[in-house]
């Protein structure tokens, strides 16, 4: 039997460059590997764990699927589906919540962040977010999960749940591992933290045109272009001649590395410590390279928008195939738990 892969994206808007490089690229690499059977969903149930608008959700969960297809997920190779259309996920999540302690969930960094962001919405659904995510993965007994580095704590919970269930009930859940990409952590354009849909000014959308990309890249808060570089731990720190640390320069260098290569980055770092960098030229070239990577996506997206019946059919078939696969797992789990 082929090894399985599962991944998902919340339905909070269109895909951004961080989702694409951190997750979708890995999803594509695995769908093209005949060793794997790939399940890719839109996580619409995870979207309702924080405040949301129903109209927007209905629109956004379709946008994500259009983005998946335009980016190159292939319904001939992957099962593309909507999480809420496969009720086995919520069923399994409830079973999993019986081996998950409240204390453990309260201490997860992702939970704490969301509670800080929405103090009035520290709900049970939010607390149970990682158990639902474990159910998404383990409903298919998936072994590999292509996601960005920010999802690692959730995968750790999924592994713990799998171990615990196997011990208590004799199930045969694998301990799922993250499939890493070079873009596992894409920084925010503001220079602070990671690129994120919830931080305005932090992201590039896959649908942005060249002008928009140029203006967003131009706004990365770089420094005078000259200073010193210290490799501090894992992260390089750029300190301009004025003596201030420049996180924006660090973010720019990450993008240079990804789109122009490691040699170009080293060349620019040498310039930073000697003659100084002319950011205008670098930012312009970088914007053009980012746009070039997205141009194919944008053409395909327009074609798909003009063909809603085709998209509907893919979703319908994907939902059916996912339900059939998840039902097999649920039946086995219920039997072992004494529910059948
Ligand atoms: P979400 O919707 O926050 O993000 C979707 C995917 O994009 C990755 N990502 C990034 N990667 C690199 N750099 C960034 N700046 C960046 N921002 C986002 C995320 O790591 C993720 O891979 N909990 C998940 C959704 C989910 C899921 C699942 C994923 C629900 N069930 C089961 C895998 C398996 C989430 O909130 O992703």
């Amino acid at each position: 039997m082929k090894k399985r892969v599962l991944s998902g994206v919340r339905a909070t808007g269109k895909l951004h460059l961080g989702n694409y490089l951190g997750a979708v690229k890995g999803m594509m690499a695995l769908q093209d590997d005949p060793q794997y059977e790939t399940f890719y969903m839109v996580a619409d149930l995870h979207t309702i764990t924080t405040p949301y608008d129903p109209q927007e959700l209905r629109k956004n969960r379709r946008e994500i699927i259009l983005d998946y297809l335009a980016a190159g997920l292939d319904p001939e190779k992957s099962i593309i589906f909507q999480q809420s259309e496969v009720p086995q996920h919520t069923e399994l999540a409830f079973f999993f919540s019986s081996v998950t302690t409240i204390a453990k969930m309260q201490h997860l960094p992702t939970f704490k962040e969301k509670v800080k962001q929405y103090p009035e919405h520290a709900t049970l659904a939010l607390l149970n977010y990682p158990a639902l995510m474990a159910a998404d993965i383990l409903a298919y007994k998936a072994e590999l999960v292509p996601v960005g580095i920010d999802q690692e704590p959730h995968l750790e919970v999924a592994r713990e749940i799998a171990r615990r269930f196997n011990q208590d009930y004799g199930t045969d859940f694998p301990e799922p591992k993250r499939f890493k990409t070079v873009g596992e952590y894409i920084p925010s354009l503001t220079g602070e933290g990671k690129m994120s849909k919830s931080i305005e000014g932090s992201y590039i959308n896959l649908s942005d045109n060249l002008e928009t990309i140029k203006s967003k890249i131009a706004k990365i808060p770089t420094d005078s272009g000259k200073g010193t570089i210290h490799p501090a731990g894992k992260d390089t720190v750029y300190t301009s001649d004025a003596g201030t640390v420049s996180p924006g320069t660090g973010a720019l260098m990450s993008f240079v590395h990804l789109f122009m290569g490691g040699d170009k980055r080293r060349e620019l770092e040498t310039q930073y410590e000697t003659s100084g960098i002319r950011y205008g030229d670098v930012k312009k070239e970088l914007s053009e390279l980012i746009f070039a990577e997205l141009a194919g996506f944008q053409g395909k997206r327009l074609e798909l928008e003009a063909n809603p019946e085709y998209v509907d059919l893919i979703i319908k078939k994907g939902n059916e195939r996912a339900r059939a696969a998840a039902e097999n797992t649920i039946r086995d789990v219920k039997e072992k738990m004494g529910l059948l």
Side-chain angles (χ1 to χ4, degrees), residues 62-186:
R62 196 179 169 85
E63 298 279 2
I64 296 290
I65 293 200
L66 281 170
D67 279 351
Y68 274 169
L69 296 170
L73 292 192
D74 180 350
E76 298 291 323
K77 296 179 183 162
S78 294
I79 296 169
I80 297 168
F81 69 101
Q82 292 159 326
Q83 182 189 32
S84 65
E85 291 292 321
V86 185
Q88 287 82 356
H89 290 227
T90 31
E91 198 174 0
L92 191 57
F94 185 74
F95 300 158
F96 285 173
S97 70
S98 71
V99 298
T100 311
T101 66
I102 295 169
K104 172 92 200 175
M105 296 300 102
Q106 276 175 328
H107 285 111
L108 283 181
T110 40
F111 177 74
K112 288 188 191 160
E113 264 165 43
K114 290 287 181 231
V115 170
K116 220 175 181 182
Q117 207 177 341
Y118 307 104
E120 309 291 312
H121 286 268
T123 63
L124 287 176
L126 186 64
L127 194 65
N128 209 39
Y129 185 114
L132 178 59
M133 184 159 155
D136 298 335
I137 300 165
L138 297 173
Y140 306 94
K141 301 193 178 159
E143 292 174 49
L144 267 188
V145 184
V147 283
I149 201 165
D150 61 312
Q151 297 298 312
E152 196 58 74
H154 290 148
L155 285 184
E156 188 52 45
V157 173
R159 287 189 284 269
E160 275 171 35
I161 289 178
R163 275 197 295 275
R164 185 68 198 271
F165 243 71
N166 292 346
Q167 257 172 32
D168 290 2
Y169 298 109
T171 45
D172 60 349
F173 287 122
E175 291 188 27
K177 288 193 191 64
R178 189 165 69 90
F179 178 75
K180 299 175 190 171
T181 63
V182 283
E184 65 178 13
Y185 180 89
I186 302 300

Side-chain angles (χ1 to χ4, degrees), residues 6-12 15-24 27 39 41-47 64 68 83 89 110 114 129 132-137 144-152 154-155 178 181 183-188 193-197 202:
L6 179 126
S7 192
V9 174
R10 277 172 305 146
T12 45
L15 290 185
H16 60 63
L17 198 60
N19 304 135
Y20 178 66
L21 298 172
V24 179
M27 291 157 79
F39 292 80
M41 60 169 202
V42 49
D44 48 4
L45 291 173
H46 280 104
T47 312
I64 296 290
Y68 274 169
Q83 182 189 32
H89 290 227
T110 40
K114 290 287 181 231
Y129 185 114
L132 178 59
M133 184 159 155
D136 298 335
I137 300 165
L144 267 188
V145 184
V147 283
I149 201 165
D150 61 312
Q151 297 298 312
E152 196 58 74
H154 290 148
L155 285 184
R178 189 165 69 90
T181 63
E184 65 178 13
Y185 180 89
I186 302 300
S188 161
K194 66 164 186 146
M195 186 175 284
S196 162
K197 270 175 267 193
S202 83

Side-chain angles (χ1 to χ4, degrees), residues 303-322:
E303 276 173 34
L304 289 160
E305 280 166 23
N307 204 347
E309 295 85 14
Y310 168 73
V311 176
D312 287 344
L313 194 65
I314 289 171
I315 297 175
K316 186 168 170 279
K317 279 194 181 156
N319 290 345
E320 282 164 9
R321 291 175 70 190

